[in-house]
Amino acid sequence: MNDLDPLLTPEGRALLDEVRDTDPAHELAVATRLRRDHPAELVSAALGQARLRQRAVVKFGAEDAARMFFTPNGVEQSTRASVAAYRAERMRGLGVASVADLCCGIGGDAIALARAGIRVLAVDRDPLTAAVARANAEALGLSGLIEVREADVTDVDTDGWDAVFVDPARRGGRGRVFDPEAYSPPLSWAVGAALKAPRAALKIAPGIPHEAIPAEAEAEWISDGGDVKEAVLWFGTGAPGTVRATLLPGPRSLPGRGLPDPEVRSVGRYLYEPDGAVIRAHLVAEVAEEVGGGLVDPTIAYVTADALRSTPYATAYEITDRLPFNVKKLRALLREREVGTLTVKKRGSAVEPEELRRKVKPQGPHSATVFLTRVAGAPTMLVGRPAR
């Protein structure tokens, strides 16, 4: 059932305001009370929308989430506002004044583009999703810049638009889709649409194989607060075949320079953990050069160095101990150091962090970080703390 229209009525909007801060644990009691004065279907729709708005705060912020409308898939699949705003600003910097946003979903990217002063044609083939995108444009006062069209994106003529943005659906009936040709629409179609436009950006999964990236594209991996959010294929930027990692907030962008793999060296005083976007973009060598370090193992993306150098592209830790993998030895060391707060990180290890914590039973007033990894091929535990 399309439960959006009743929520757009004066009664529905008033009910949304009333249930805005409802604790999910108290929903049944609230629903029982409200159904005395309102239709049961409207009460259920309002409470459902309140739950979605609460979930959306992490992506859109409290102010926008409280005014917007959502679907379950829309909350799950929409772009985080900070990432969408960064991409919109980059579009604006490229001189883009109008964008055909294909597969617009609930309108998160269209909103960011419009707020950057860009005119948007937002297209989605699902009637409810298109209606939600339209309602969001109106709710945020952006309907003058956003035209929402319910249509199959493969039927849309994008001639006359400065740029095309495509965000293909990457989830199917069985969950997340990893094959780019299983996207909806397929990546090959999206690339074709991009090549017809003066400029374009295609949002793709960050795990895309580098060999699947077309030669005409610039590839950018984006993280926000240390979490990798997406990859973007840019067309028409004048930098085909290049890669970059962009970290938000900031933004800070690390361009690839085609460096060879770093040399493997012995573990030094400091360990650098590159940001996930740097790793996905295959730019660990650029970080290693920046800090004057090498790899602890040829297959592991940890960089080690003897000196502490500041870089926004990696987190530095001071290593105090290096042990072969041995839970008893680690337990004894932590007991001796009175470590009660243990952060466990792993790369190249099958051991689960929670399992290790249960086995070592940390107790005490101090904290430490243990890295479960390989050093020169051998399972190793590196113990340390964030560098200052």
Side-chain angles (χ1 to χ4, degrees):
M1 183 184 69
N2 182 345
D3 57 8
L4 177 64
D5 289 344
L7 294 177
L8 299 178
T9 65
E11 182 182 11
R13 292 181 184 275
L15 198 55
L16 278 173
D17 289 339
E18 186 171 352
V19 302
R20 172 177 174 174
D21 298 318
T22 300
D23 186 331
H26 301 152
E27 271 192 10
L28 181 58
V30 171
T32 301
R33 174 176 58 82
L34 292 175
R35 283 170 181 162
R36 298 169 188 157
D37 302 310
H38 303 280
E41 294 81 2
L42 180 58
V43 171
S44 295
L47 287 170
Q49 193 60 224
R51 285 196 303 273
L52 293 175
R53 286 178 168 182
Q54 290 169 9
R55 286 173 51 195
V57 168
V58 67
K59 283 191 173 183
F60 291 91
E63 185 177 349
D64 280 355
R67 294 185 290 166
M68 293 173 65
F69 296 88
F70 300 96
T71 65
N73 285 340
V75 172
E76 181 71 24
Q77 299 178 24
S78 57
T79 303
R80 184 181 289 257
S82 55
V83 178
Y86 161 74
R87 186 166 41 239
E89 284 301 318
R90 188 167 182 201
M91 284 271 198
R92 188 165 70 104
L94 291 169
V96 171
S98 64
V99 173
D101 178 2
L102 309 180
C103 309
C104 69
I106 62 169
D109 283 285
I111 289 165
L113 289 164
R115 283 176 167 167
I118 297 172
R119 186 167 56 90
V120 185
L121 170 64
V123 183
D124 202 284
R125 67 181 180 184
D126 179 69
L128 175 58
T129 302
V132 169
R134 189 175 295 109
N136 285 336
E138 294 173 357
L140 299 180
L142 298 169
S143 55
L145 282 170
I146 301 175
E147 174 195 347
V148 179
R149 185 181 303 175
E150 179 192 328
D152 189 313
V153 296
T154 61
D155 296 330
V156 175
D157 182 3
T158 59
D159 286 348
W161 296 87
D162 292 343
V164 166
F165 173 66
V166 189
D167 180 7
R170 294 180 299 281
R171 285 185 179 273
R174 297 183 177 180
R176 195 178 299 275
V177 172
F178 296 97
D179 178 6
E181 285 308 296
Y183 292 175
S184 180
L187 180 60
S188 57
W189 180 89
V191 170
L195 293 174
K196 295 176 184 176
R199 290 183 174 83
L202 311 183
K203 178 180 172 182
I204 55 176
I208 186 171
H210 280 229
E211 56 268 23
I213 297 171
E216 301 91 340
E218 170 199 337
E220 179 180 34
W221 281 260
I222 302 173
S223 68
D224 188 11
D227 294 329
V228 182
K229 294 303 177 185
E230 63 183 57
V232 185
L233 302 183
W234 292 92
F235 297 79
T237 64
T242 62
V243 298
R244 72 173 59 234
T246 296
L247 282 56
L248 303 177
R252 296 177 182 272
S253 284
L254 178 66
R257 301 197 303 280
L259 299 180
D261 291 341
E263 292 185 357
V264 177
R265 53 151 292 175
S266 60
V267 177
R269 182 176 178 183
Y270 296 99
L271 186 77
Y272 293 85
E273 181 183 27
D275 184 271
V278 171
I279 295 172
R280 293 283 194 177
H282 296 180
L283 299 179
V284 174
E286 278 72 5
V287 169
E289 183 181 74
E290 191 170 297
V291 302
L295 298 179
V296 300
D297 184 277
T299 64
I300 303 295
Y302 283 141
V303 175
T304 186
D306 296 318
L308 178 61
R309 297 185 185 178
S310 177
T311 174
Y313 304 111
T315 303
Y317 295 84
E318 185 176 10
I319 299 302
T320 57
D321 300 271
R322 171 182 170 179
L323 306 169
F325 183 83
N326 186 299
V327 175
K328 289 183 179 180
K329 288 184 178 180
L330 179 63
R331 186 190 302 122
L333 177 67
L334 297 177
R335 186 180 298 118
E336 177 186 336
R337 304 280 171 81
E338 296 183 306
V339 171
T341 302
L342 182 66
T343 301
V344 181
K345 293 177 173 285
K346 68 170 203 165
R347 189 160 291 158
S349 172
V351 178
E352 292 300 325
E354 285 304 321
E355 177 188 353
L356 183 67
R357 285 194 196 91
R358 285 195 301 270
K359 288 181 177 179
V360 299
K361 300 176 182 177
Q363 293 181 4
H366 302 137
S367 62
T369 300
V370 60
F371 295 86
L372 306 178
T373 188
R374 291 193 302 273
V375 173
T380 303
M381 298 182 295
L382 301 175
V383 182
R385 53 181 172 259
R388 293 179 177 85

